Amino acid sequence: MLRRPHRSIVPVLLCMTSPAYAEITAMDVWENMRTTASVFGGNLAARLEESDDGLNASIVTYRLSLTAPTSNNGQPPAHLADIEIMLPDMSLKETSQGTVQLNYDLSAPYVFTVSLSEGETFAVSTSLSASNGTMAATGTPEKITYDYAAERFQINVGPFQIPDEDDVFEMKMSFGYENLLGQSLIDTSNGLKISSSSRNSLNTFTSEDREPSEDGSIKITSTKGTSRGVTASSELSLPSGEINLFNLARALRSGLQISARMAADHYDETENTTLSGPNSRLIAHRETSLGGQDLSFTLDQKGIDLSLAARDVDVDATLPSLALFLIGTFEISAKHLDFRLALPLLKSDEVTDSFRLLLGLDEVELGENTWSAFDHSGTLPREPGNLKLDISSTTKSNIEWLDFWELDSALDATPGAYVQPYDLKIDTLLLEALGTIASATGAITFDHSDYETMEGMPLPEGDITVDIQGVQALLDALVETELLPTDQAAGVRLLLGGFSKSIGEDHLTSTIEMTAEGHILANGQRLK
């Protein structure tokens, strides 16, 4: 059974091929395109006809047979589905400067068809339009650069339907680009390398999905996003072989490297979720604004490294369904948002993998409507909050996470931990909110030769120091606003007194130590 795609599907435009290095022919360009298309094991074919100045390609079709890899228990590859993409006709015209001009017939849509081995089939139609669009190929037969430009470029996908258990899920999307300028270098001299860069003044994205409800109503989710001043770049390197989508681990071990970056000067997004039919109503409304953003990721043998930086973040959400729970409108803003996640993904026999998580939120503020939902009197401190987190760990993974076909059986066959941490470092943990300041630092190592002392866990050794200021005043304010019962506040104070010591007015500190003998100490007093 086909499953619903994630709403934020992003189109990847390999707009195929810098200054001319030597004369290339139309056939050189066609073969370069065919080589690129074969990276996933597919085949690009067309009816080719020679013209006075190059080639005309019609009935252009890309076909890919999705086959699961040979399983670890020796079972032969299983055929899962066939994918066919009908592409527009194109002409490849050779020029006197040694370049090739590419022209596409955009009057005909792309048709994307998936036929499952069980007999189910679904198709998606995609239409393209361009204003003053050009594309030219230059270089050598094995290294071809594609330069492209358009005043406006539009992609419309769907609507299309996908069965989802007992219902039918319908979706459509569109992508728009203004003042688009880009370049892609496709190098087939030693494996495959693709380097791309582009910029445009305006990106637009819209989507609408429809989901039937049990009472006969239709839940409609509409999204519109706008990015301004967009730049993007990407790199793909595959020294040898093909990419099997069911086992990316194999391609990574063969040298696959992927990196990408996208930056925008400003981004706005609006999303509405409504219910149409007998019980028509607004379910949710959200507006998001970013003063600027920079998103990047890499994927290689070390794992995935994802980072996001944004400034002037504003989110306003209206949730009528939660109005009975006090918060019908939620407003939050932040001056800066920083996020990074480095995550190992390949199975390893050695302790060489590194995990890291960084999170930063500066000058976080809630809107007045949000505050008034639970603090009418303004008792709680409302100064902007801050959060900083930087933790890392050296790990060893016992699972090949990107071998999707064997993942379930690997999880079932692994008796112990899927990931073994050998240390944990808290370089920064800082929270400033509601008049309190809480911070922590520390480092712990884990001894995997001893699972008995801590009853099934690796023996930890190290210490963590915690510092808290203003918590007593916060408890008083929470009691005054009736958000926290008096007896529960007393319980929190008792707990804090047992694990911390006072070093000033409303200022607590605590050092939690884990020893090689399996003891746990708080400020020198043994807890375990």
Side-chain angles (χ1 to χ4, degrees):
M1 180 68 67
L2 289 171
R3 294 298 178 189
R4 178 180 312 167
H6 193 280
R7 185 173 297 125
S8 58
I9 298 175
V10 179
V12 178
L13 297 177
L14 292 178
C15 296
M16 306 142 205
T17 136
S18 151
Y21 306 112
E23 182 174 304
I24 57 173
T25 66
M27 185 57 72
D28 292 332
V29 174
W30 173 252
E31 289 301 324
N32 182 265
M33 295 165 63
R34 278 175 45 82
T35 300
T36 305
S38 67
V39 67
F40 293 107
N43 179 60
L44 180 66
R47 183 173 65 189
L48 299 180
E49 296 179 352
E50 293 187 4
S51 64
D52 294 339
D53 53 2
L55 289 174
N56 292 321
S58 59
I59 317 177
V60 184
T61 308
Y62 176 76
R63 293 185 175 91
L64 172 64
S65 179
L66 284 182
T67 302
T70 302
S71 63
N72 293 334
N73 59 14
Q75 292 184 351
H79 176 257
L80 301 176
D82 291 314
I83 295 176
E84 180 181 274
I85 305 175
M86 295 296 298
L87 303 168
D89 294 350
M90 69 176 77
S91 64
L92 298 86
K93 296 185 179 296
E94 300 168 357
T95 71
S96 58
Q97 291 80 30
T99 67
V100 175
Q101 298 287 340
L102 290 84
N103 299 295
Y104 294 87
D105 178 11
L106 299 183
S107 63
Y110 287 64
V111 180
F112 181 99
T113 305
V114 177
S115 302
L116 299 181
S117 57
E118 299 125 355
E120 288 184 281
T121 299
F122 81 94
V124 179
S125 179
T126 300
S127 62
L128 307 180
S129 62
S131 174
N132 295 325
T134 62
M135 182 181 292
T138 59
T140 64
E142 292 185 333
K143 295 182 179 181
I144 297 181
T145 297
Y146 299 84
D147 290 285
Y148 55 93
E151 288 184 4
R152 288 183 177 82
F153 186 67
Q154 183 76 21
I155 306 172
N156 297 313
V157 183
F160 57 93
Q161 295 181 336
I162 298 179
D164 184 23
E165 297 180 350
D166 297 329
D167 297 321
V168 176
F169 175 80
E170 184 177 285
M171 187 174 188
K172 63 180 179 180
M173 298 174 291
S174 69
F175 306 86
Y177 308 83
E178 291 188 11
N179 301 313
L180 175 64
L181 184 66
Q183 183 181 91
S184 293
L185 168 62
I186 300 180
D187 182 353
T188 60
S189 60
N190 183 19
L192 176 66
K193 294 182 179 180
I194 303 176
S195 303
S196 300
S197 63
S198 66
R199 67 176 186 266
N200 58 275
S201 61
L202 180 69
N203 272 13
T204 58
F205 164 73
T206 64
S207 72
E208 180 182 284
D209 57 60
R210 295 170 172 262
E211 180 181 0
S213 300
E214 294 181 356
D215 61 358
S217 301
I218 304 293
K219 185 173 78 170
I220 304 173
T221 302
S222 302
T223 306
K224 180 178 181 180
T226 302
S227 300
R228 301 181 185 277
V230 181
T231 59
S233 61
S234 63
E235 301 275 346
L236 181 148
S237 177
L238 183 65
S240 62
E242 298 175 351
I243 298 176
N244 189 306
L245 296 176
F246 296 100
N247 189 353
L248 290 179
R250 185 177 299 170
L252 289 176
R253 295 186 184 279
S254 298
L256 172 65
Q257 298 180 27
I258 303 174
S259 63
R261 179 184 178 188
M262 190 279 288
D265 295 335
H266 192 88
Y267 178 74
D268 291 303
E269 182 177 291
T270 301
E271 181 178 272
N272 286 300
T273 302
T274 59
L275 202 64
S276 67
N279 299 304
S280 179
R281 66 181 187 275
L282 173 69
I283 298 176
H285 171 79
R286 175 181 56 81
E287 295 183 6
T288 302
S289 175
L290 305 178
Q293 63 174 333
D294 194 329
L295 173 67
S296 64
F297 88 93
T298 60
L299 177 65
D300 54 25
Q301 292 185 10
K302 296 179 181 179
I304 188 169
D305 196 324
L306 176 67
S307 65
L308 168 66
R311 65 180 186 272
D312 298 329
V313 180
D314 285 291
V315 179
D316 295 338
T318 302
L319 304 166
S321 58
L322 295 182
L324 295 177
F325 300 94
L326 300 180
I327 301 179
T329 300
F330 183 76
E331 303 165 336
I332 188 170
S333 65
K335 193 68 176 177
H336 295 98
L337 165 64
D338 293 289
F339 171 82
R340 182 188 172 195
L341 174 64
L343 187 65
L345 295 172
L346 292 182
K347 183 178 180 180
S348 175
D349 295 327
E350 299 179 357
V351 186
T352 57
D353 299 335
S354 295
F355 159 84
R356 190 174 185 187
L357 174 63
L358 292 90
L359 177 62
L361 285 166
D362 297 335
E363 300 184 32
V364 179
E365 297 185 81
L366 297 179
E368 184 60 35
N369 289 332
T370 305
W371 276 115
S372 61
F374 55 86
D375 182 24
H376 298 284
S377 61
T379 302
L380 296 174
R382 300 188 179 185
E383 292 84 1
N386 298 285
L387 171 65
K388 295 186 184 300
L389 174 67
D390 184 355
I391 61 175
S392 59
S393 176
T394 303
T395 64
K396 182 170 78 73
S397 177
N398 298 315
I399 298 292
E400 196 76 282
W401 296 102
L402 296 183
D403 185 354
F404 305 117
W405 190 250
E406 296 288 344
L407 184 57
D408 285 345
S409 59
L411 293 174
D412 293 338
T414 303
Y418 300 147
V419 177
Q420 293 176 298
Y422 281 78
D423 60 31
L424 174 64
K425 297 179 182 179
I426 305 175
D427 291 327
T428 304
L429 175 53
L430 174 66
L431 175 62
E432 298 175 326
L434 299 173
T436 65
I437 302 176
S439 63
T441 58
I444 303 172
T445 61
F446 299 95
D447 183 0
H448 287 271
S449 66
D450 184 353
Y451 277 80
E452 295 181 0
T453 302
M454 299 302 289
E455 302 177 355
M457 293 179 56
L459 179 65
E461 183 179 358
D463 59 73
I464 298 174
T465 299
V466 181
D467 188 277
I468 306 175
Q469 301 177 51
V471 67
Q472 302 293 352
L474 175 59
L475 290 173
D476 291 338
L478 291 174
V479 170
E480 183 178 342
T481 57
E482 299 183 351
L483 291 173
L484 184 68
T486 303
D487 58 339
Q488 292 185 18
V492 173
R493 288 188 171 97
L494 183 62
L495 183 65
L496 289 172
F499 287 91
S500 62
K501 62 181 180 180
S502 175
I503 58 174
E505 184 178 353
D506 204 355
H507 190 173
L508 303 175
T509 187
S510 179
T511 298
I512 308 299
E513 182 183 359
M514 287 150 277
T515 70
E517 293 77 25
H519 301 155
I520 300 178
L521 311 176
N523 300 314
Q525 296 185 8
R526 184 171 170 179
L527 303 177
K528 179 183 184 300

